[in-house]
Amino acid sequence: MENESNPNDEEKLKALLETLRKNDENVPKELLQTKYKKPYRELKGSIKEVADRISGHRLREGIVIKADEAGQVLMKQIQTMLDDKRNAGAGKELGRALYKEYSLEKFLQTVEEIRVEIWNLWIPYWQQHCCLYAAPECFEENGPPPKIYNDLTGEFLVDQERNIWEKKPEWESEQRMIITAGACHILAEGLKNKEEQNNG
C-alpha cells in the first residue's frame, strides 16, 4: 500500500524536522513567506505526508475489524474517540510537536497515547473472537486438549504465562472445530446443570 509506513520514515521525518528548524532559525520569516514560500510550503507538506504515514500505520498496526455489526459498532466508537481527541486539541498538539518543537519523540508519544486508546476499545472486541480450536486428534482417546485461538487475527495462544499469540499454520486443520466463547458458555451451563441434577 502506498500509505504504509516503512522503517526509514522516522529517520526521514527527523531529517525533515531538522531542516524545518534550521530554516525557521536562520532564514528571516519575511523571506520564508515570499522568496522561499514554495519550497518552505513543500517542506511542510513533506513533513505532513510522512507524519500521516507514520501515525496511520501505528494507529492501525495489529488491529483487525470485521465488516459485521459488532465491527461497525467498534468503528463508530473509535471514530467518536478520535473526533473527541481532535476536538480536545490532539491535532494541534501533534502540529505543535512537529512544526514548533521539531520533536519526533513528542509526535510519536502523542500518537502512542492515541494508539493505546484505540487498543483499549479494540481489546473487548478481540476477546469476543477468542475460542477453542479443536483439531480431529483432540477427540481421540488421550488426545491433546483444544488450543486457544482467535478467529479474528488467526492467532493461537502459544505462551499463556506471557500472553503470546502467533500464527501457526502447522497447527491448522481443515477438519477443525471452532468452539466460540458463546458456545463455551452454553456448554459450561449445560455441564453445570447436568452436575446439579446428578448431585441433587
Side-chain angles (χ1 to χ4, degrees), residues 62-76:
I63 300 279
V64 179
I65 301 173
K66 291 186 176 184
D68 58 10
E69 187 177 331
Q72 295 301 319
V73 169
L74 175 61
M75 289 297 293
K76 285 180 184 168

Side-chain angles (χ1 to χ4, degrees), residues 2-185:
E2 220 173 277
N3 65 345
E4 281 298 306
S5 173
N6 69 59
N8 297 325
D9 277 343
E10 287 183 26
E11 286 304 314
K12 186 175 183 180
L13 183 56
K14 194 171 190 172
L16 288 168
L17 292 174
E18 182 58 20
T19 302
L20 179 66
R21 185 186 63 75
K22 286 179 180 174
N23 280 328
D24 286 346
E25 289 176 358
N26 300 318
V27 180
K29 195 171 186 176
E30 183 184 308
L31 287 177
L32 291 174
Q33 294 173 344
T34 56
K35 184 177 181 181
Y36 300 116
K37 183 177 182 178
K38 187 177 180 209
Y40 187 67
R41 188 173 55 226
E42 287 171 355
L43 173 62
K44 285 187 164 185
S46 295
I47 289 170
K48 182 183 183 325
E49 182 183 318
V50 177
D52 284 350
R53 216 170 31 233
I54 291 170
S55 62
H57 174 72
R58 286 192 173 213
L59 295 179
R60 289 189 310 271
E61 188 175 18
I63 300 279
V64 179
I65 301 173
K66 291 186 176 184
D68 58 10
E69 187 177 331
Q72 295 301 319
V73 169
L74 175 61
M75 289 297 293
K76 285 180 184 168
Q77 290 173 333
I78 291 172
Q79 190 57 56
T80 299
M81 182 274 293
L82 291 172
D83 290 343
D84 290 347
K85 295 290 281 177
R86 193 176 299 112
N87 292 337
K92 288 179 182 174
E93 191 177 334
L94 290 166
R96 186 171 51 253
L98 294 171
Y99 301 109
K100 299 287 184 208
E101 299 175 24
Y102 319 105
S103 175
L104 174 64
E105 293 73 23
K106 280 197 176 178
F107 168 76
L108 293 176
Q109 181 183 341
T110 303
V111 170
E112 177 63 13
E113 289 167 6
I114 297 168
R115 188 193 71 78
V116 167
E117 289 195 42
I118 291 173
W119 271 76
N120 288 340
L121 291 172
W122 182 72
I123 288 295
Y125 173 77
W126 173 85
Q127 287 172 331
Q128 292 171 4
H129 290 270
C130 290
C131 50
L132 294 178
Y133 190 102
E137 59 269 18
C138 295
F139 298 100
E140 296 170 5
E141 193 173 327
N142 298 320
K147 293 177 174 38
I148 298 174
Y149 178 72
N150 188 284
D151 68 353
L152 182 66
T153 59
E155 295 175 325
F156 290 91
L157 179 61
V158 296
D159 186 331
Q160 195 166 351
E161 284 184 24
R162 295 186 300 162
N163 194 27
I164 296 174
W165 294 76
E166 294 177 0
K167 292 186 185 300
K168 290 284 188 181
E170 67 274 16
W171 290 1
E172 295 180 15
S173 167
E174 287 187 25
Q175 285 81 40
R176 76 200 181 284
M177 178 185 292
I178 293 181
I179 305 168
T180 64
C184 286
H185 178 72

